[in-house]
Amino acid sequence: MAKVTLERLRKVYPNGFVGVDEASFEIRDGELLVLVGPSGCGKSTLLRMIAGLETISSGELRIGERRVNEVPPKDRDIAMVFQSYALYPHMTVAENLGFGLKLRGASKAEIEARVNEAAATLELESMLERKPAALSGGQRQRVALGRALVRQPQVFLLDEPLSNLDAKLRMGMRVEIARLHRQLGTTMVYVTHDQIEAMTLGQRIVVLKDGKIQQIDTPMALYRHPANLFVATFLGSPKMNLLWGEVIERDGLRLRIAEGVELPLQPDESLRESVRGYLGRQLTVGLRPEDMHLAEAAPERLAARVEVVEPVGNEAFLNLGCGGCDLVLRLPPYDLPTPGDTVHLGYAPERMHYFDPDTERSLRPAPAAG
Ligand code: ADP
């Protein structure tokens, strides 16, 4: 097991494109760290630099205490699992699992022992003599994981390993990977574009955009205290609601969203002065769908028009229009209003997020990364 340290790691492709810009962080010994961001944000580039499949333009990469910038992939003591399982179709599961060890000249007895151990961990024992064609997608992905497992590496690197599976299987495999990580205690770096996968699997998450790290923290800390608008709207489904307006003062601070549409702001002590600094200027505020609710009509309450009601069984999403902004509320699926109704909105003021519209940064000072 080992920690992995990235210091100002940078990748400039031969055409001058900066794929990853000054990435600095540490993957702790035994940690499951997720790299997440939209397609093209540099996740795979970063992972491939750790693997040694992509050269490092500048910065330093260490596995344990050893600088590995120039160390070839096979000597880095890592194992990688890709999206495409690329199993050898003519080999059995056992042969697929043991092939890497065979190439390295391991003895027959050692190969058999490690293959059996990996098969037991991944519940593949009954399938060892089958060929990949006789396996389901999930089973093939387990074999791909097993191939990495038999190597007993210091660090596992997983690049979108579940994206070829259907939604139900993905959920099952997600749980298996989390279980595997707990069982092995090996350092793992997991790349995905899927924010749900990131939130459910990651002990910590690195959010990337355009090759730059946006924020690193535990899933719930990112969800509760996003450092900027990108992180705020990337994590969470449905997305965080955003309202734009001018900050005014009349019976306290308010956001004037449109003519006659005002939202009372009740920033807590730590934020009051920063919010007040926006008096007479534009401010962006965010409220997650679960942090708003329907309330009795009252003069200070925001009124909104119901546009679409989406009951999904255990809950319902209410799509609303309010002073030119679109809002979504997450509600229990009972006594729902109907499209065309006017409703009044209550919200949890302590859950409100404030962002500078120009820098897109949160006004809340970022807590030290956990
Ligand atoms: P992700 O894994 O987040 O989808 P990648 O790390 O694959 O993104 O790519 C990051 C960016 O680098 C993308 O914009 C991609 O087009 C670009 N890129 C990847 N490989 C090359 C290359 N060989 N030459 C130039 N640009 C590249």
Side-chain angles (χ1 to χ4, degrees), residues 105-131:
S107 72
K108 224 173 153 182
E110 186 185 356
I111 295 174
E112 198 180 316
R114 289 221 211 160
V115 165
N116 286 337
E117 194 184 336
T121 306
L122 292 163
E123 292 169 19
L124 286 169
E125 292 134 308
S126 60
M127 294 161 217
L128 282 173
E129 295 315 313
R130 282 196 214 169
K131 299 266 174 68

Side-chain angles (χ1 to χ4, degrees), residues 13-15 17-19 37-46 54 159 191:
Y13 281 110
N15 65 358
F17 185 83
V18 180
S39 175
C41 71
K43 314 177 286 291
S44 299
T45 304
L46 199 48
E54 203 70 76
D159 194 354
V191 161

Side-chain angles (χ1 to χ4, degrees), residues 238-258:
K239 277 194 170 92
M240 181 186 284
N241 294 302
L242 298 177
L243 294 148
W244 297 268
E246 182 191 338
V247 178
I248 58 168
E249 191 158 30
R250 189 162 56 77
D251 301 331
L253 294 166
R254 291 163 173 264
L255 191 75
R256 193 167 171 281
I257 298 162

Side-chain angles (χ1 to χ4, degrees), residues 6-10 20-25 46 208 211 213:
L6 288 75
E7 255 175 40
R8 307 184 69 181
L9 220 57
R10 192 171 154 89
V20 171
D21 199 10
E22 306 263 326
S24 295
F25 58 93
L46 199 48
L208 284 157
I213 293 177

Side-chain angles (χ1 to χ4, degrees), residues 339-352:
D341 286 355
T342 295
V343 294
H344 292 82
L345 305 177
Y347 63 95
E350 71 282 6
R351 297 274 172 79
M352 191 178 270

Side-chain angles (χ1 to χ4, degrees), residues 142-161:
R142 290 223 296 273
V143 178
L145 276 173
R147 250 186 341 196
L149 214 59
V150 295
R151 304 258 313 273
Q152 301 180 339
Q154 295 226 53
V155 182
F156 280 104
L157 304 177
L158 301 105
D159 194 354
E160 305 254 6

Side-chain angles (χ1 to χ4, degrees), residues 41-162:
C41 71
K43 314 177 286 291
S44 299
T45 304
L46 199 48
L47 197 75
R48 290 167 60 82
M49 282 197 283
I50 300 173
L53 302 173
E54 203 70 76
T55 56
I56 293 168
S57 308
S58 63
E60 185 168 283
L61 174 69
R62 294 192 296 276
I63 297 181
E65 298 306 325
R66 180 166 78 130
R67 177 189 157 99
V68 294
N69 286 43
E70 289 82 25
V71 175
K74 66 177 177 41
D75 299 328
R76 288 193 186 191
D77 210 358
I78 47 135
M80 192 147 169
V81 181
F82 297 93
Q83 174 179 351
S84 58
Y85 348 107
L87 302 179
Y88 298 107
H90 58 284
M91 291 185 193
T92 64
V93 168
E95 285 162 349
N96 264 289
L97 288 174
F99 189 65
L101 295 176
K102 197 168 158 190
L103 281 186
R104 276 154 203 261
S107 72
K108 224 173 153 182
E110 186 185 356
I111 295 174
E112 198 180 316
R114 289 221 211 160
V115 165
N116 286 337
E117 194 184 336
T121 306
L122 292 163
E123 292 169 19
L124 286 169
E125 292 134 308
S126 60
M127 294 161 217
L128 282 173
E129 295 315 313
R130 282 196 214 169
K131 299 266 174 68
L135 301 176
S136 70
Q139 290 163 343
R140 281 181 213 164
Q141 191 51 280
R142 290 223 296 273
V143 178
L145 276 173
R147 250 186 341 196
L149 214 59
V150 295
R151 304 258 313 273
Q152 301 180 339
Q154 295 226 53
V155 182
F156 280 104
L157 304 177
L158 301 105
D159 194 354
E160 305 254 6
L162 309 184

